[in-house]
Amino acid sequence: MQDIDIIPCLNDNYSYLICDKDTNTITIIDPSDFNPCDEIIKKKYNKLDYILNTHHHFDHVGGNQKLKEKYKAKVLGCEIDKDRIPEIDITLKEKQNFKLGKTSFEVIFVPGHTTGHIAFYFKDEKIVFTGDTLFSLGCGKIFEGTCEQMFNSLNKLKNLPIDTKIYCGHEYTKKNLEFCLEYDSNNEFLKKKIIGLTQS
Ligand SMILES: [Fe+2]
């Protein structure tokens, strides 16, 4: 079983710190920025074994170099991005399984936002880290791939079990909700959600 810490970084990024409690294996996903990530790593575990990157954008890999230097962690990312992810050590392919201590994840290849974007699916824990492919109420911008690729990628995520918990790369819920309401103003679910957000 795992402990997960959510680390807000930069303006609206999320990095995630995972501890495999059985083996004390520590992993960070998309460290945007060294300082906020290091602060919590230092305080909670004072070690880091793996750095996982969903894609090569600076706000997802910004902490790679310094974290690797400090903790001697291994950097993992998509094989397509082996020349774009700083400090990469281990390349990953679609459907590959990788173990972080006793916990393992499967690589889901989700191109569209970038051509080498991947998601990390922890089947036993029923969680998925989607980077900039899927957010709360929206999807990422298509910078490098095609609309068809993004559509297929979103369908792969849609086909995961309905009770899968999604950890995304940015906090865009409010902006996405306002956009959705512009085009679907009578949607009861959206109306309730905006009341919840403005009250919190
Ligand atoms: Fe991105």
Side-chain angles (χ1 to χ4, degrees):
M1 216 22 222
Q2 301 180 335
D3 263 348
I4 301 175
D5 284 289
I6 301 173
I7 312 171
C9 288
L10 306 176
N11 284 335
D12 50 29
N13 277 81
Y14 288 128
S15 301
Y16 298 101
L17 188 64
I18 301 173
C19 170
D20 175 55
K21 289 198 270 188
D22 292 337
T23 60
N24 198 34
T25 302
I26 314 300
T27 302
I28 195 157
I29 298 185
D30 284 353
S32 309
D33 192 10
F34 174 76
N35 287 328
C37 296
D38 184 47
E39 209 171 293
I40 186 162
I41 294 168
K42 207 166 47 184
K43 196 164 105 194
K44 280 196 85 168
Y45 308 112
N46 206 24
K47 71 179 287 240
L48 181 68
D49 300 291
Y50 296 104
I51 298 168
L52 307 188
N53 295 130
T54 57
H55 64 297
H56 72 92
H57 283 159
F58 78 96
D59 57 331
H60 296 256
V61 304
N64 278 20
Q65 193 184 355
K66 279 191 174 176
L67 286 172
K68 179 175 171 174
E69 212 173 275
K70 178 166 179 182
Y71 295 104
K72 312 290 174 230
K74 295 270 184 238
V75 177
L76 285 77
C78 183
E79 61 171 354
I80 292 172
D81 277 340
K82 66 180 190 316
D83 298 320
R84 303 200 287 184
I85 290 181
E87 306 291 333
I88 193 164
D89 296 296
I90 299 168
T91 57
L92 300 167
K93 289 180 194 168
E94 177 158 38
K95 293 192 175 156
Q96 185 176 340
N97 281 283
F98 193 91
K99 277 198 157 192
L100 307 168
K102 283 190 181 168
T103 307
S104 67
F105 68 82
E106 184 189 315
V107 175
I108 306 179
F109 184 50
V110 285
H113 179 71
T114 64
T115 47
H117 200 302
I118 52 179
F120 305 110
Y121 177 43
F122 293 74
K123 196 176 173 186
D124 293 343
E125 276 81 12
K126 296 183 177 176
I127 55 180
V128 64
F129 296 88
T130 57
D132 287 359
T133 297
L134 178 64
F135 304 114
S136 170
L137 293 172
C139 70
K141 283 187 183 157
I142 301 167
F143 285 122
E144 297 175 8
T146 63
C147 293
E148 197 182 353
Q149 277 178 326
M150 182 56 118
F151 184 72
N152 291 335
S153 295
L154 290 170
N155 270 328
K156 285 184 194 175
L157 298 173
K158 189 181 165 194
N159 287 333
L160 295 177
I162 192 77
D163 55 350
T164 306
K165 196 168 179 182
I166 294 163
Y167 289 85
C168 58
H170 289 268
E171 181 48 67
Y172 289 157
T173 312
K174 192 162 180 287
K175 274 189 234 161
N176 286 340
L177 189 51
E178 285 161 359
F179 175 85
C180 292
L181 275 167
E182 245 181 86
Y183 293 92
D184 193 8
S185 55
N186 292 321
N187 184 310
E188 289 302 320
F189 170 82
L190 295 174
K191 284 200 272 188
K192 270 187 204 154
K193 186 116 179 143
I194 197 94
I195 292 167
L197 271 191
T198 42
Q199 283 174 347
S200 62

